[in-house]
Amino acid sequence: QVQLVESGGGLVQAGGSLRLSCAASGSIFRLNAMGWYRQTPGNQRELVATTSSVGITNYADSVKGRFTISRDNAGNTVYLQMNSLKPEDTAVYYCNAVRYLFGAKYDYWGQGTQVTVSS
């Protein structure tokens, strides 16, 4: 099993910045992609940004140029630097880790951290 613990959420004014962190522990060998998703009440969870084990990144169009995802050298901690925040970025942000093993895909999720952007 993999445990993901997020931190760094909070309340910020529009135009401000926040940095989210997600640390993976437990059975963390051969983790592939890690990333961030977000969800607002009544809506499906949506991709924010992902990074592969070799550093290939992918961003939602709505955050391109404002958010940056990064991963530490050990590959067990992923960060999301969020700049120029907008009220529409308000959501619960979830950390995700993926592992492919013997042809099967395993998804792991953190508990979520609230980000609130006031106008």
Side-chain angles (χ1 to χ4, degrees):
Q1 278 293 346
V2 175
Q3 292 80 45
L4 301 174
V5 178
E6 301 119 332
S7 60
L11 173 64
V12 65
Q13 287 189 329
S17 298
L18 282 174
R19 189 188 194 213
L20 304 183
S21 300
C22 172
S25 62
S27 182
I28 58 176
F29 68 96
R30 295 183 64 181
L31 282 179
N32 297 101
M34 293 186 74
W36 294 92
Y37 290 72
R38 67 187 181 187
Q39 189 171 22
T40 53
N43 293 307
Q44 288 189 334
R45 197 169 295 187
E46 63 176 13
L47 179 146
V48 176
T50 61
T51 179
S52 73
S53 57
V54 294
I56 297 172
T57 57
N58 181 44
Y59 294 92
D61 288 342
S62 59
V63 307
K64 283 180 181 176
R66 300 188 298 121
F67 291 10
T68 303
I69 190 169
S70 61
R71 199 165 169 178
D72 71 342
N73 289 337
N76 302 328
T77 302
V78 65
Y79 306 94
L80 186 68
Q81 178 66 43
M82 305 186 293
N83 298 329
S84 302
L85 282 160
K86 304 175 181 180
E88 51 263 44
D89 294 318
T90 296
V92 177
Y93 283 69
Y94 295 90
C95 179
N96 169 260
V98 173
R99 176 160 59 208
Y100 293 95
L101 194 62
F102 303 117
K105 179 186 178 185
Y106 297 87
D107 265 295
Y108 303 96
W109 294 94
Q111 80 284 358
T113 185
Q114 177 71 45
V115 171
T116 303
V117 183
S118 63
S119 58

